[in-house]
Amino acid sequence: MEFDPNRPTITHHNGVHSGQASHVTSHVMDTLERADRPVAVDMRPKLPEGASWNADGTITITLDEPAELTLRSGGHDDVEELHKLVCRRLRGGDMIDAVDAEGASGRQMFLLKRMTGLEDMKGELLIRSLSHADYLTLVEVLGVFTRRGQKIGR
């Protein structure tokens, strides 16, 4: 067997290494074969229960309880139900614009509305109508998009 510098080999000959592979177990070969293939490791942050990553980097939250908004128009009520929220990654402009919002809760509401695309007054009412558990999930997802990652040291 000729030496291939691109392929790892295990050699032994009476306890002395030689240039020829004399004993390679099937387990070692399986490990070597797997090492040739790329390994996919999901490095994205862990999401709260009820939230899942989408292929485009957005996060979908499936609500435990639908959020309802009743709109009165022309003598009849229209009930709008929301069962899922799709959250996008925030941009620098979102963070810059949030500075102008009034108080900490105003900044948080501003970012939640931007993240979900529910930017009008109807969006704010829908966010306010979320159950406590669903609101906490939404805030946790906001944290996923705003934290810088694990810090080492200090």
Side-chain angles (χ1 to χ4, degrees):
M1 176 182 277
E2 286 201 20
F3 177 73
D4 179 358
N6 297 318
R7 179 144 181 108
T9 59
I10 298 174
T11 61
H12 92 16
H13 178 67
N14 296 331
V16 178
H17 290 283
S18 68
Q20 207 163 27
S22 61
H23 178 69
V24 178
T25 66
S26 60
H27 172 71
V28 172
M29 285 303 293
D30 288 345
T31 303
L32 293 174
E33 292 298 322
R34 285 192 302 263
D36 290 342
R37 288 184 243 138
V39 177
V41 177
D42 190 353
M43 299 298 290
R44 298 176 296 191
K46 186 176 186 308
L47 297 177
E49 188 175 328
S52 59
W53 287 102
N54 299 316
D56 63 356
T58 60
I59 297 173
T60 297
I61 299 172
T62 302
L63 302 175
D64 288 337
E65 299 175 29
E68 284 188 3
L69 180 63
T70 302
L71 304 171
R72 291 183 178 86
S73 170
H76 70 283
D77 293 348
D78 290 324
V79 178
E80 189 171 323
E81 279 192 354
L82 189 64
H83 297 272
K84 292 182 178 196
L85 289 169
V86 177
C87 305
R88 68 166 177 83
R89 203 171 281 285
L90 294 166
R91 301 286 177 228
D94 300 322
M95 304 307 287
I96 292 166
D97 295 344
V99 172
D100 294 332
E102 186 90 20
S105 63
R107 282 188 288 280
Q108 184 179 54
M109 179 58 80
F110 178 87
L111 292 173
L112 292 174
K113 289 167 56 174
R114 280 282 176 98
M115 181 178 72
T116 58
L118 302 171
E119 297 186 50
D120 56 7
M121 189 58 180
K122 182 172 82 169
E124 183 169 337
L125 293 172
L126 279 167
I127 290 172
R128 288 179 175 277
S129 73
L130 293 174
S131 71
H132 179 256
D134 288 331
Y135 182 78
L136 290 178
T137 301
L138 182 60
V139 170
E140 282 187 63
V141 168
L142 176 63
V144 167
F145 285 143
T146 56
R147 94 176 60 114
R148 292 196 64 154
Q150 184 176 4
K151 302 212 186 294
I152 299 174
R154 291 193 198 170

